[in-house]
Amino acid sequence: MRQFLLLVLCLGILVPTVGQPLAPVPFRSAVRQVNLLVHTRLDVKFDYAKRYLYGREWVTLKPQAQATDTLRLDAKGMDIKAVALVQGSTTTPLKYDYNQRQLLIRLGRTVPAGEAYTVYLEYTAKPDELGTQGGAAIRGAKGLYFINPDSAISGKPVQIWTQGEPDANSVWFPTIDETNQKTTQEISMTVPSKYVTLSNGLLVAQTPAGPGLRTDTWKMDQPHAPYLFMMAVGDFRITKDTWRGKEVSYYLEPQYAPQARAIFGKTPRMLEFFSQRLGVDFPWSKYSQVVCRDFVAGAMENTTASLFGEQAQGSARELLDWQYAGVEREIAHELFHHWFGDYVTAESWGNLTINESFANFSEVLWAEHEYGPDAGQQQADLSLRTYFRNSGNFSKPLVRPQYREKDEMFDAVTYQKGGNILNMLRAYLGEDVFFQGLQQFLKQNAFGTGEPHQLRLALEAASGQDLNWFFDQWYYRAGHPIVTIAYQWDAARQRQAVIVRQTQAGAPYVLPLAVDVYTNGRARRYAATLRQAVDTLYFPAATKPDLVNVDAEKVLVWQKDDQKSLAEFAYQYRHAPRYLDRREALRAAQTQPTNPAAQRLLLAGLDDKSAALREMAIELLDLKDAARRRAVAPQLAKLAATDAAVQVQAAALTALAALKEPRYAPVFSRALASPSYRVQGAALQGMAALNPAQALARATAFETDHKGPLTVAMVNVYGQAGGPSQWPLMLAKYDAANPPGRFEMLPGLADILGRLDDPTALSQGIARIKDLTVAYIKFVDSERLIGLLRQIQERQATRPNGKEAAALVEQAVGAIRAAK
């Protein structure tokens, strides 16, 4: 099922879309600063029934460069009740115009530049009546979210939370909703006294506010951008740690509170590591992390109070299946934003690399610090392959003030490519110089804004080098180098030639790199720089080298055709030190499935020290040959039973399942007792390949305790071997799953829908396949999913509801194609 999901999602990313020519992309400069925010004080109450916020606001500002008699605030979809100028203890009503997007206030006098003034506003925020839509990255623009406010969904908590980025906080309080504004804040929230609140800064007061109500006041004395304001209200249990005397706290639903430290407990060590590495101590008063339901993004770095989606809470059993690339990576990412994004904020959305590229880079930093170099390289590689997976990324420069919608900036160029560019720059400048430059950049722009030109100047000051060439090609130019690397050894001249051809459009890149030349088991390193469309590098070599390893640090952002022989890749696997050296060799072996040497290399990969590479080797093995199956199956069975990593156990079980050999039934049976849902899911599907009826019985036994991969496996086993009584169970599991889980369940749904004689079930199932496809039409290979619907239609053709099924499928296909 994992392969099905990858096929649908990953291949779908590459499907081109056809439509009308797009209008020219507008240039979006930073918004002019007429007035500067100074302080924002809010007093808010919530109407759960109407999903309204009743707010009072005192906002203090000062004109920036010139005197002004007007103030323009962003305020989306509000009812404005009062606007007044505050002068001491008196307030003077002010005239204003309001177009439901912005509020233009006439101040009644001309305020000189630099003179502070305060405006009072009274308003009602109505986020659910706004009618806005989010984008692909941030799937909502309401700013303020009421979750299950009427308790209509049994078992789902009642919560309120906010999401401001990029400009949605102005849905719940009037402000200048731009990245180049900074303000201190104070928020008083009146809430049911049974609930816990969280906001930016410190909790400075809690007072009774009437029967069953309480007012909590949170105060933030350091300035930050309006999009980073946050509130969260709900039944949370708080677990507290400390770091250098500052509170570090974790807010989770009560049933997940016992796992708080297992999930977030590395935060104090992350604070220490990042503070020391950057040379700038964590600059804020406290750090909290809260997990909320139905969040519209993965996580959000609200200053001092990061918010995570529900993927960041789980039972003790669920945590067994978590990997670094999931929640721990997110925790590092959001924390690092408190330097890059919160402390120094991108001056405009076109410069979002200042926020997100650094946060992506932090994922690599923490992985290598906590788990070693292999883990850091693995995370960098995962990011880079995300960028390469979509050719649409290749036409976008990292810094781009031209975009249609702000959400477009939250892409694999800003995140994954940008993070790898920073990693490459670290390797070029050296660890100490690179971080000295970052320290200088942070200190020079503290509590302000930044852009790449300032970053370049700070790194130049630290390194003594002109870095215009680097920033010009990596920050302001789209794409990346595409190279072929060929090798020639000249016995007569006793030298090794390496010919590198850059074949991308445009000028050649300047590419400093390291080259390791291996002879008799020893490597000698050479520094080189590529500058031309074709560069030939020469290295002394009295005998033919065993291996020439170009980009030996494995940090360059490029696509390469490395024309080594398989023997050289095998040598690289055994002798070169890095994770990517070994990964490249395994991938090269995959391209020659009938070559015995390639299969020996993959077999060696089954014992790799990296769990990710052991898993990869399992998935790359070609088991079509009977002799090879016999040789490898015992080792797979051993990995399935004893490997330390659950992902390797699950991969080995999946590989054994493909063999469909009854002698491995006991392996699947034993694995069904694993505490890992992932292992249980793989074992259940392995059992289904041998004995569907037995698998159905075991799946039924799991009804009381199943999550994630096991739930997916149960749905697919029910689809393969179940009947009408299993359909309600499948439907409930599908509806409760997240989008990736739903995609993995589709084969099971299609399987059972092909043989159910229930018109209601057919309508329910086909509608869900259609709705999921339409919802993710931009990211999936819709024709493959249409093929799944056609499979249902064909299998129903001779059954009692064949005509109804055909009509439903035709309607679904029409809706999918109309959505393209």
Side-chain angles (χ1 to χ4, degrees):
M1 295 310 104
R2 180 182 178 208
Q3 283 74 14
F4 178 84
L5 175 68
L6 292 172
L7 195 63
V8 170
L9 291 179
C10 298
L11 293 185
I13 287 173
L14 303 177
V15 175
T17 57
V18 179
Q20 297 298 319
L22 296 173
V25 180
F27 183 92
R28 302 185 185 276
S29 58
V31 173
R32 181 188 172 197
Q33 296 171 313
V34 178
N35 287 282
L36 293 178
L37 293 170
V38 176
H39 182 70
T40 303
R41 177 185 162 205
L42 300 171
D43 184 352
V44 303
K45 299 178 174 68
F46 304 101
D47 187 327
Y48 283 78
K50 293 182 178 179
R51 305 187 185 201
Y52 286 179
L53 176 149
Y54 304 115
R56 296 188 299 157
E57 176 175 3
W58 296 260
V59 57
T60 301
L61 311 97
K62 58 184 180 182
Q64 161 68 322
Q66 297 176 336
T68 185
D69 59 0
T70 60
L71 167 64
R72 189 181 299 274
L73 296 176
D74 299 298
K76 301 183 180 77
M78 298 178 180
D79 290 340
I80 305 298
K81 306 295 186 180
V83 180
L85 185 68
V86 179
Q87 294 174 300
S89 60
T90 65
T91 58
T92 304
L94 296 175
K95 295 180 179 180
Y96 62 88
D97 294 315
Y98 182 48
N99 64 4
Q100 291 295 304
R101 302 293 295 177
Q102 287 190 321
L103 186 64
L104 179 61
I105 301 169
R106 293 170 179 82
L107 299 174
R109 69 183 183 94
T110 300
V111 182
E115 180 181 306
Y117 65 94
T118 299
V119 171
Y120 169 78
L121 304 104
E122 194 170 327
Y123 62 94
T124 301
K126 304 183 290 184
D128 282 55
E129 298 176 18
L130 190 60
T132 59
Q133 292 185 341
I138 301 171
R139 302 178 303 279
K142 295 193 302 184
L144 174 66
Y145 295 80
F146 290 82
I147 305 304
N148 200 26
D150 51 7
S151 300
I153 303 175
S154 176
K156 186 172 186 176
V158 176
Q159 296 178 347
I160 294 172
W161 47 262
T162 61
Q163 165 57 27
E165 191 174 39
D167 57 3
N169 272 346
S170 49
V171 174
W172 61 274
F173 71 97
T175 188
I176 304 174
D177 210 349
E178 299 293 340
T179 64
N180 61 357
Q181 293 283 340
K182 294 287 179 93
T183 172
T184 55
Q185 78 178 66
E186 182 178 323
I187 300 181
S188 296
M189 289 180 270
T190 299
V191 300
S193 54
K194 64 183 177 180
Y195 291 140
V196 168
T197 70
L198 176 64
S199 188
N200 314 92
L202 298 175
L203 180 62
V204 296
Q206 289 187 300
T207 58
L213 296 175
R214 186 187 73 249
T215 298
D216 289 357
T217 300
W218 293 82
K219 192 172 183 182
M220 179 82 167
D221 290 329
Q222 296 152 304
H224 64 147
Y227 77 88
L228 295 166
F229 280 40
M230 75 84 69
M231 300 184 295
V233 182
D235 182 13
F236 301 111
R237 294 293 182 270
I238 307 171
T239 302
K240 294 183 180 181
D241 284 328
T242 59
W243 174 78
R244 295 192 191 177
K246 296 181 178 183
E247 181 182 302
V248 179
S249 53
Y250 323 123
Y251 291 60
L252 290 94
E253 293 173 30
Q255 67 268 36
Y256 297 112
Q259 281 72 250
R261 286 196 174 90
I263 298 168
F264 293 107
K266 292 183 180 180
T267 303
R269 290 200 291 112
M270 288 184 181
L271 283 161
E272 186 65 28
F273 171 66
F274 289 148
S275 294
Q276 290 189 13
R277 203 71 204 87
L278 292 170
V280 175
D281 289 345
F282 178 76
W284 308 100
S285 56
K286 68 103 164 53
Y287 189 54
S288 300
Q289 294 164 103
V290 60
V291 182
C292 294
R293 293 290 187 101
D294 299 345
F295 191 49
V296 293
M300 179 64 203
E301 65 274 12
N302 309 299
T303 315
T304 77
S306 290
L307 195 156
F308 294 78
E310 60 201 88
Q311 77 282 352
Q313 60 188 8
S315 66
R317 285 194 65 192
E318 286 178 284
L319 266 60
L320 294 174
D321 292 331
W322 286 13
Q323 296 183 49
Y324 175 77
V327 175
E328 187 174 345
R329 173 197 60 82
E330 284 185 332
I331 293 169
H333 181 113
E334 305 309 330
L335 176 56
F336 207 70
H337 268 308
H338 282 71
W339 287 268
F340 292 91
D342 298 3
Y343 187 56
V344 179
T345 307
E347 177 255 4
S348 63
W349 293 111
N351 292 294
L352 187 59
T353 178
I354 292 298
N355 296 13
E356 297 299 349
S357 299
F358 274 100
N360 180 274
F361 171 63
S362 76
E363 301 166 8
V364 176
L365 278 183
W366 179 252
E368 67 183 31
H369 171 76
E370 184 71 359
Y371 301 106
D374 271 12
Q377 279 218 328
Q378 179 187 349
Q379 184 57 40
D381 177 59
L382 284 170
S383 281
L384 194 55
R385 284 188 284 122
T386 299
Y387 162 73
F388 284 136
R389 193 175 293 138
N390 183 355
S391 60
N393 293 324
F394 304 165
S395 61
K396 303 173 188 177
L398 185 55
V399 179
R400 51 184 190 278
Q402 290 181 286
Y403 55 86
R404 291 183 176 84
E405 301 294 338
K406 295 170 185 175
D407 187 81
E408 295 173 15
M409 294 300 301
F410 295 81
D411 62 8
V413 178
T414 300
Y415 283 71
Q416 285 85 0
K417 182 186 181 186
N420 273 275
I421 287 170
L422 289 168
N423 199 38
M424 182 168 55
L425 185 54
R426 172 176 65 146
Y428 172 68
L429 292 176
E431 198 86 3
D432 291 343
V433 169
F434 176 75
F435 282 104
Q436 287 168 14
L438 298 193
Q439 180 189 48
Q440 185 166 329
F441 172 77
L442 289 169
K443 289 184 174 180
Q444 288 174 341
N445 301 287
F447 299 110
T449 62
E451 56 180 290
H453 286 302
Q454 293 163 302
L455 175 64
R456 174 181 57 81
L457 291 171
L459 289 166
E460 287 181 343
S463 67
Q465 300 184 45
D466 186 330
L467 294 173
N468 274 292
W469 65 270
F470 185 94
F471 279 76
D472 285 349
Q473 68 183 17
W474 291 113
Y475 277 76
Y476 302 103
R477 174 180 175 180
H480 52 269
I482 302 172
V483 305
T484 61
I485 307 173
Y487 305 88
Q488 295 176 0
W489 177 63
D490 188 331
R493 297 184 178 182
Q494 295 189 342
R495 68 181 187 183
Q496 173 71 46
V498 178
I499 304 97
V500 183
R501 290 179 170 83
Q502 297 192 41
T503 60
Q504 74 281 348
Y509 282 74
V510 177
L511 299 172
L513 48 76
V515 180
D516 284 352
V517 179
Y518 287 78
T519 306
N520 297 324
R522 300 182 64 181
R524 181 173 180 182
R525 174 156 296 185
Y526 299 89
T529 301
L530 307 177
R531 301 179 184 277
Q532 309 299 327
V534 180
D535 280 289
T536 302
L537 309 175
Y538 295 103
F539 305 100
T543 59
K544 187 177 187 302
D546 299 302
L547 171 70
V548 179
N549 196 8
V550 177
D551 182 27
E553 294 291 325
K554 294 293 181 283
V555 293
L556 288 183
V557 177
W558 65 1
Q559 287 178 303
K560 63 178 180 179
D561 173 15
D562 195 347
Q563 297 174 356
K564 295 189 183 86
S565 67
L566 183 61
E568 288 169 324
F569 275 118
Y571 188 94
Q572 178 173 307
Y573 182 86
R574 295 192 304 271
H575 294 277
R578 298 185 175 275
Y579 168 88
L580 281 176
D581 291 316
R582 306 195 309 279
R583 190 182 192 281
E584 283 180 3
L586 294 176
R587 184 60 68 185
Q590 181 206 15
T591 64
Q592 301 184 42
T594 60
N595 187 327
Q599 292 304 306
R600 286 195 298 271
L601 180 50
L602 292 174
L603 285 174
L606 298 180
D607 293 320
D608 197 278
K609 64 181 179 178
S610 163
L613 294 186
R614 294 198 300 277
E615 180 184 13
M616 178 181 175
I618 292 169
E619 293 171 350
L620 294 182
L621 277 169
D622 184 353
L623 299 176
K624 297 185 182 69
D625 179 75
R628 190 175 301 126
R629 286 199 304 272
R630 288 193 298 272
V632 130
Q635 192 168 354
L636 291 175
K638 182 180 178 182
L639 290 171
T642 64
D643 196 275
V646 294
Q647 71 265 35
V648 177
Q649 293 179 36
L653 288 164
T654 300
L656 287 173
L659 303 182
K660 297 184 178 181
E661 295 188 11
R663 59 182 168 142
Y664 293 112
V667 176
F668 300 129
S669 294
R670 286 192 295 270
L672 287 174
S674 169
S676 160
Y677 290 121
R678 184 170 179 177
V679 172
Q680 284 185 315
L684 184 63
Q685 296 197 130
M687 180 175 285
L690 297 176
N691 189 330
Q694 185 182 7
L696 179 62
R698 296 301 298 267
T700 304
F702 286 130
E703 280 294 336
T704 57
D705 183 10
H706 58 85
K707 297 283 185 180
L710 178 57
T711 306
V712 169
M714 291 168 66
V715 168
N716 286 305
V717 168
Y718 288 161
Q720 178 184 352
S725 62
Q726 275 75 42
W727 176 249
L729 300 173
M730 295 175 69
L731 205 60
K733 290 173 177 58
Y734 177 90
D735 289 344
N738 59 22
R742 290 181 178 182
F743 275 107
E744 289 188 273
M745 293 174 183
L746 290 185
L749 262 64
D751 207 357
I752 198 168
L753 289 171
R755 63 178 187 276
L756 284 181
D757 295 326
D758 179 350
T760 300
L762 284 168
S763 176
Q764 292 169 332
I766 291 170
R768 280 163 173 77
I769 296 172
K770 179 258 295 180
D771 291 344
L772 186 66
T773 307
V774 169
Y776 293 91
I777 195 73
K778 295 180 181 178
F779 309 102
V780 301
D781 186 345
S782 58
E783 289 303 318
R784 290 186 179 274
L785 295 170
I786 287 172
L788 209 62
L789 290 167
R790 294 294 187 199
Q791 173 187 315
I792 298 169
Q793 181 180 354
E794 290 171 8
R795 295 181 61 191
Q796 281 284 339
T798 59
R799 302 184 74 88
N801 297 299
K803 289 184 179 179
E804 293 88 340
L808 289 168
V809 169
E810 291 300 336
Q811 291 171 7
V813 170
I816 291 168
R817 291 195 168 138
K820 284 187 176 182

